[in-house]
Amino acid sequence: MDKISKWNVVHKVEKQKLLWAVNGVAGLAIFFFGYDQGVMGGVNTARDYYETTMKLGHKGEDGAPVITKTLLQGGINASYYIGTLLGALLGGSVGDRVGRIKTIGLAAVWSIVGAALQCSAQNSDWMICARVMNGIGTGILNAIVPVWATETAAHTSRGQFVSIEFTLNIFGVVVAYWIEFGCSKYGDGTSPFIWRFPIAFQIVPLIFLLAIVWFFPESPRWLTKVGREDEARYILGRLRGETGADEGLAEAEFQDIRNIAELEKKTSEQQNYFKMLFGIGTGKLHTGRRVQLVIWLQIMQEWIGIAGITIYGPEIFKIAGISASDQLWVSGLNDITYMFSTLVCVFTLDRIGRRWTLYWGSVGMGICLFLAGGLSRVAQNHPLGSPDAKHYGGGATFFVFLYTMIFGATWLTVPWLYPAEIFPLQIRARGNAWGVVGWSLGNGWTVVLLPTIFKRLNEKTLYLFAACNVISIPMVWALYPESNQRTLEEMDLVFASDSIWNWEAERNFKILKEQNPDLVQTTARNRSVVDPETGELRKFSAARGASLDANALSAHTEHVEKTG
């Protein structure tokens, strides 16, 4: 394939090895995202940062920071999420126009500049601008990397591949935490190195990402959309294999992509963000509904308690009698168990599906939050440091750990995977960007509101989050169709129903599959790519007369039968 650089890894490896290579690069980008998320926790406690450079407060008698300018500190932290929101919208738009690889390269450059500005910040105004810049780069990456990963992965293992990336995401959090833990021991604790080096370190994976991403294949689905079908077909062949039992799989998938791309062009007009949000001109694709689903799934991810546990966890550790110095390694240990818990999702997500993963996660986390809140209350009814307080506080600490592990095994990954799966090809990157917008909004709310809520409600805030877990179960059951073991092309058929209810969408999907047998051929159940009668490869061709309107097709069929 002359149009693809001879240095591209697509020429060197194929099938599973190529998929793992792509996943490794995507994982590197998501590792940076995790590191970037985790690094500010330690930065905020560095004395030179909060006392000398940013002038946010002073060191207390117990050695802990005393922040007198809480609004300014909150503004510095929240400015990052303004950047991720803007970056997501930018990344989605650019990604759909110039491709996934170029957009990842742009994000890496942008993030390097943002990290450099952060680690060299001389005052709070500088830091706020740098945080916005860095957030934009992160938002671009978050909008495009999951899309690139899902568009190259096979539909049978798509969840597993993205789950591995989010194991690396939490590994980034862990690395950030322990680098900062080590830096905190440097000198007498007043050196700017303690906070500047951890921020600067994130440039290392970004430079590596920028250097290698150009040697990896573009998304075959994006190439098909823009008319570069020869390149798309070649890359698909290398990803899926062309010989033996794999013969014909790539061709079937390629025809599905072509069919759906043509159908999307007939069904709706190209969408900008405004039209996507309100579903204007989307026809049977119902883009507006999909946008609302991914925004609220990401917002709910924050309000089922992970942000609350992060904020209130140290207070529970204190009640349990864990000293301030010991809380550092206890928090680090919690991050490590959090990382390993994500491996559960790697092995279960493609087996039980996205919906059941969210169900059992909500049940488990809800129970943990109720018990952590209750045990925390009982512990506070006893004198601080007493055996009873430590006993009940230790129980609450256990449920903090268990909650974090369940979150890592369930709700961490699905809200990031789902948006990259359900949107039409012509606007997939922009659709995924809406998910990042939801995540930015959810995080922004928690950063601003949770300190006040905890101050008023104390441990009762955990009951509020537990209630959100209860609410999430019927929400997912009624509104969110399953995407597991379905190709990205099939999701247009799933969302073709005019009803918002999941059971109606599934019923309509079955009808459309029966009425459009040639539209999506890759996942035809119990159907081999080899014709059993002739022993030859089946002929795959573009679907003709395909439609996403089940009623129109039924009426057309009846008319043909009557007149024929």
Side-chain angles (χ1 to χ4, degrees):
M1 176 55 63
D2 296 335
K3 295 180 181 178
I4 302 175
S5 168
K6 66 178 182 178
W7 304 108
N8 199 298
V9 297
V10 75
H11 302 305
K12 313 297 180 183
V13 293
E14 63 175 337
K15 297 171 63 174
Q16 202 69 12
K17 290 182 179 179
L18 181 56
L19 285 169
W20 281 113
V22 169
N23 198 50
V25 175
L28 180 62
I30 300 300
F31 167 85
F32 157 73
F33 172 42
Y35 187 94
D36 200 37
Q37 278 183 295
V39 75
M40 283 305 291
V43 168
N44 285 329
T45 62
R47 187 174 178 181
D48 179 79
Y49 175 81
Y50 68 78
E51 190 174 80
T52 306
T53 307
M54 301 300 154
K55 296 179 172 55
L56 300 173
H58 60 273
K59 183 179 180 180
E61 294 181 0
D62 61 352
V66 177
I67 304 301
T68 56
K69 298 180 180 179
T70 54
L71 184 60
L72 178 58
Q73 185 187 53
I76 293 173
N77 293 334
S79 61
Y80 173 77
Y81 299 107
I82 295 174
T84 58
L85 190 153
L86 296 174
L89 297 175
L90 174 62
S93 181
V94 173
D96 277 333
R97 285 176 169 81
V98 305
R100 314 327 189 194
I101 297 297
K102 291 180 181 177
T103 307
I104 293 173
L106 168 66
V109 171
W110 201 302
S111 297
I112 289 171
V113 173
L117 288 173
Q118 279 190 97
C119 70
S120 60
Q122 301 299 312
N123 53 57
S124 58
D125 292 340
W126 186 329
M127 192 64 177
I128 288 173
C129 293
R131 291 283 288 165
V132 172
M133 282 288 293
N134 206 45
I136 290 174
T138 305
I140 297 172
L141 277 177
N142 289 346
I144 204 65
V145 170
V147 171
W148 183 52
T150 58
E151 288 185 335
T152 53
H155 72 279
T156 53
S157 58
R158 197 167 57 228
Q160 180 187 52
F161 270 66
V162 175
S163 296
I164 292 172
E165 291 165 18
F166 278 88
T167 297
L168 293 172
N169 171 260
I170 305 305
F171 180 59
V173 175
V174 172
V175 170
Y177 183 88
W178 287 105
I179 285 178
E180 289 179 323
F181 182 82
C183 288
S184 69
K185 307 299 182 182
Y186 178 78
D188 61 357
T190 62
S191 171
F193 174 85
I194 293 173
W195 67 272
R196 293 190 189 275
F197 176 77
I199 292 178
F201 183 80
Q202 64 189 296
I203 296 175
V204 175
L206 287 170
I207 290 176
F208 191 46
L209 175 65
L210 180 61
I212 66 173
V213 70
W214 312 105
F215 300 100
F216 284 78
E218 181 57 86
S219 161
R221 286 172 165 82
W222 181 82
L223 289 171
T224 302
K225 185 188 80 166
V226 298
R228 294 160 62 179
E229 295 187 352
D230 291 344
E231 295 171 69
R233 178 63 183 83
Y234 175 76
I235 292 172
L236 269 178
R238 299 294 292 176
L239 287 166
R240 306 291 180 254
E242 297 277 23
T243 59
D246 301 318
E247 187 178 8
L249 294 177
E251 181 62 24
E253 187 172 351
F254 176 65
Q255 292 299 338
D256 287 355
I257 297 169
R258 289 181 60 190
N259 292 340
I260 288 296
E262 289 299 318
L263 188 59
E264 287 177 2
K265 291 177 182 178
K266 296 176 183 177
T267 304
S268 70
E269 58 190 60
Q270 286 285 338
Q271 298 290 297
N272 57 41
Y273 284 116
F274 180 81
K275 291 181 177 180
M276 287 176 67
L277 180 61
F278 295 102
I280 300 172
T282 63
K284 286 291 183 177
L285 292 178
H286 297 119
T287 304
R289 185 195 312 162
R290 305 190 210 195
V291 168
Q292 294 298 325
L293 289 177
V294 301
I295 288 176
W296 286 102
L297 188 63
Q298 284 280 21
I299 290 175
M300 188 60 77
Q301 184 195 45
E302 296 305 314
W303 284 93
I304 56 174
I306 187 61
I309 285 293
T310 301
I311 291 174
Y312 198 67
E315 181 66 22
I316 292 177
F317 299 156
K318 180 180 177 181
I319 294 169
I322 301 172
S323 66
S325 58
D326 287 342
Q327 285 180 29
L328 293 174
W329 70 261
V330 170
S331 296
L333 180 62
N334 189 31
D335 284 342
I336 292 173
T337 58
Y338 183 18
M339 178 185 71
F340 283 114
S341 72
T342 62
L343 294 174
V344 174
C345 207
V346 172
F347 297 105
T348 61
L349 190 54
D350 287 321
R351 295 177 183 271
I352 65 175
R354 295 18 166 182
R355 285 158 56 86
W356 277 100
T357 298
L358 297 178
Y359 291 156
W360 83 261
S362 293
V363 171
M365 290 186 297
I367 292 172
C368 287
L369 288 167
F370 276 123
L371 291 174
L375 289 169
S376 177
R377 178 71 268 164
V378 174
Q380 290 177 75
N381 290 336
H382 295 84
L384 185 64
S386 68
D388 286 337
K390 291 182 178 179
H391 175 73
Y392 290 112
T397 299
F398 168 79
F399 284 108
V400 167
F401 271 67
L402 184 59
Y403 170 90
T404 306
M405 292 176 67
I406 295 174
F407 178 84
T410 57
W411 274 79
L412 170 69
T413 300
V414 175
W416 288 100
L417 169 63
Y418 199 73
E421 292 183 306
I422 69 170
F423 280 96
L425 172 59
Q426 61 173 317
I427 52 168
R428 186 164 292 136
R430 277 168 282 179
N432 190 58
W434 279 114
V436 184
V437 168
W439 175 81
S440 302
L441 293 173
N443 270 282
W445 289 2
T446 56
V447 167
V448 174
L449 297 179
L450 280 187
T452 302
I453 295 175
F454 270 113
K455 187 175 181 179
R456 297 285 183 88
L457 300 181
N458 206 347
E459 81 289 336
K460 295 183 181 66
T461 307
L462 300 183
Y463 303 151
L464 173 64
F465 291 132
C468 288
N469 277 279
V470 174
I471 293 170
S472 71
I473 296 173
M475 182 185 87
V476 171
W477 173 77
L479 300 175
Y480 288 79
E482 183 59 76
S483 59
N484 183 41
Q485 302 302 313
R486 286 172 171 162
T487 66
L488 302 180
E489 289 67 47
E490 283 183 305
M491 296 311 296
D492 279 350
L493 278 64
V494 172
F495 281 95
S497 172
D498 292 330
S499 172
I500 65 171
W501 305 116
N502 174 58
W503 52 88
E504 290 293 336
E506 292 291 348
R507 185 186 66 83
N508 194 67
F509 172 72
K510 291 180 180 178
I511 294 173
L512 287 173
K513 286 274 285 187
E514 293 173 358
Q515 294 177 341
N516 297 275
D518 295 326
L519 185 59
V520 281
Q521 306 166 82
T522 304
T523 57
R525 302 295 185 256
N526 300 318
R527 180 181 178 183
S528 171
V529 295
V530 176
D531 191 316
E533 295 183 3
T534 65
E536 296 178 353
L537 188 68
R538 289 183 186 273
K539 298 292 186 180
F540 294 100
S541 58
R544 303 187 183 282
S547 172
L548 293 178
D549 190 337
N551 294 327
L553 272 172
S554 297
H556 175 73
T557 302
E558 291 176 4
H559 174 73
V560 170
E561 289 176 350
K562 289 179 180 178
T563 58

